[in-house]
Amino acid sequence: MQQSRLFQIVYYLLEKGQATAPELAEMFEVSVRTIYRDLDALSGAGIPVYAEAGRNGGIRLMHDFVLDKAVLSQEEKQEILTALQSINVTRNISESPTLQKLSAMFRMGSENWLLVDFSRWGNEESDKEKFERLKSAVIHRRAVKIDYAGSGGEVRSRIVHPYKLVYKSKAWYLYGFCTVRQEMRTFKLNRILEAEILREEFQRRDLPDVPEASDGEYPEITLRFPGEMAYRVYDEFDKTRVQKQENGDLVVCVKMPEDAWLTGFLLSFGTQVDILSPAHLREKVAKQAKLIYEKNKT
């Protein structure tokens, strides 16, 4: 138990920078005297921990201290190397000096078994440059000017204070404060046509984190597909939402937001989907299909 507490004290100091003995005692539910004994044990083990007296004093680790590689198990080392090697969003991370240094320090390699690339087909460099630019803006807290294609078809310029990049349901999003709407908004990266980092720096507001979509807020939609569409159905919907009928048809019951994207999504199935409910959604999609036909008929 003491060894576990000692590591937790070190991790806490690495993260927070400093702490007081009463603070640590309350956190680990021990006495202040026990905390000081733990500090003596850490010091005796070679961990450069020290205490400063005074108004701004506290328990600290020496500046530039890092945990020795021996603290990590073989499995943890492999996980770190694999994580670095697997993510290939903006550049070939397998050639990263960070990965090379850690591999040398851990005295182990990491098999190149996975490649993750979120850029679109035929547009790798453009997507990666945009991602890198937005990532830099998030890290350095710099405002960005974006040209954004909204769901209504209009392209508008906005000034955004970027908070984080989010990967959700097969797509990247930028979550940030929109200075035009004066509220937190989520922007799909593929719809950001241009992104320019501005000189303006911003202070992060005390605002809620990325909102999780609640199924309870969306209407239930029931769809029927022929069995030969299984490859597409299971690609788009979780298997728990799919019921296989005796004749081989697949019926999907799912809650989804009704917007322009949903209409286009359903149209992408062509004649291979029956919208069983709600009735107004069936009418909406049929109307849109008719407009497409009228526009493209010869």
Side-chain angles (χ1 to χ4, degrees):
M1 179 64 183
Q2 183 194 21
Q3 185 178 14
S4 174
R5 188 172 65 247
L6 293 179
F7 280 125
Q8 290 182 55
I9 290 174
V10 174
Y11 297 147
Y12 186 80
L13 293 176
L14 282 170
E15 180 182 1
K16 301 297 182 180
Q18 70 172 39
T20 64
E23 177 183 346
L24 294 173
E26 181 180 358
M27 175 179 299
F28 297 108
E29 298 181 348
V30 296
S31 67
V32 172
R33 180 174 297 180
T34 297
I35 291 296
Y36 280 119
R37 283 201 294 266
D38 288 344
L39 297 178
D40 288 339
L42 287 171
S43 181
I47 305 296
V49 58
Y50 67 98
E52 282 188 347
R55 181 178 178 182
N56 297 318
I59 300 166
R60 307 169 187 256
L61 292 168
M62 290 288 290
H63 186 64
D64 296 334
F65 169 75
V66 294
L67 284 175
D68 187 83
K69 62 177 186 278
V71 173
L72 299 171
S73 67
Q74 288 294 106
E75 182 179 355
E76 289 169 334
K77 294 174 186 176
Q78 187 65 59
E79 287 178 356
I80 291 173
L81 295 178
T82 300
L84 282 174
Q85 193 175 59
S86 298
I87 304 303
N88 185 19
V89 177
T90 59
R91 61 184 183 275
N92 188 354
I93 198 71
S94 63
E95 297 177 358
S96 166
T98 302
L99 181 61
Q100 294 174 355
K101 290 177 182 178
L102 286 177
S103 296
M105 187 177 77
F106 294 161
R107 295 184 180 178
M108 62 189 300
S110 179
E111 289 189 26
N112 191 6
W113 65 277
L114 176 66
L115 173 65
V116 180
D117 189 342
F118 298 117
S119 60
R120 291 167 289 181
W121 291 106
N123 196 33
E124 292 87 352
E125 292 306 316
S126 177
D127 281 346
K128 291 176 181 179
E129 288 174 5
K130 179 169 57 178
F131 187 96
E132 182 68 21
R133 196 175 303 126
L134 293 172
K135 181 183 75 173
S136 177
V138 171
I139 294 173
H140 299 290
R141 299 186 180 183
R142 298 276 294 277
V144 292
K145 179 182 178 182
I146 64 172
D147 291 339
Y148 190 70
S151 58
E154 74 286 354
V155 177
R156 296 178 179 174
S157 294
R158 302 170 184 264
I159 304 298
V160 178
H161 296 166
Y163 277 51
K164 61 178 63 178
L165 290 166
V166 180
Y167 186 73
K168 180 74 173 178
S169 186
K170 306 178 185 178
W172 279 102
Y173 297 86
L174 173 67
Y175 182 65
F177 184 81
C178 177
T179 60
V180 175
R181 299 291 183 88
Q182 287 293 299
E183 62 183 4
M184 298 300 290
R185 302 287 293 233
T186 302
F187 303 94
K188 193 171 184 178
L189 255 65
N190 287 348
R191 296 183 186 174
I192 298 177
L193 307 182
E194 298 290 341
E196 175 188 356
I197 301 180
L198 305 178
R199 292 184 178 182
E200 174 192 348
E201 297 182 3
F202 67 91
Q203 295 294 324
R204 293 175 67 93
R205 295 168 172 80
D206 186 15
L207 295 171
D209 207 341
V210 183
E212 290 289 339
S214 172
D215 284 349
E217 300 173 1
Y218 302 142
E220 186 171 77
I221 298 170
T222 305
L223 310 169
R224 182 174 60 218
F225 302 88
E228 58 265 28
M229 289 296 291
Y231 74 95
R232 177 84 187 275
V233 171
Y234 289 111
D235 190 40
E236 301 289 355
F237 305 101
D238 187 89
K239 66 178 182 180
T240 60
R241 303 290 186 179
V242 182
Q243 293 182 349
K244 188 172 183 178
Q245 308 300 297
E246 290 185 2
N247 66 352
D249 285 355
L250 302 173
V251 175
V252 176
C253 293
V254 63
K255 292 183 177 181
M256 302 177 73
E258 286 193 45
D259 53 18
W261 175 87
L262 178 60
T263 303
F265 172 71
L266 294 175
L267 284 169
S268 72
F269 288 95
T271 60
Q272 300 299 307
V273 59
D274 290 327
I275 303 172
L276 303 183
S277 67
H280 70 267
L281 179 60
R282 170 191 283 267
E283 295 171 1
K284 183 178 180 181
V285 173
K287 182 179 179 181
Q288 189 66 28
K290 184 177 180 180
L291 290 174
I292 294 173
Y293 168 76
E294 292 293 336
K295 185 176 182 178
N296 292 280
K297 70 178 181 179
T298 56

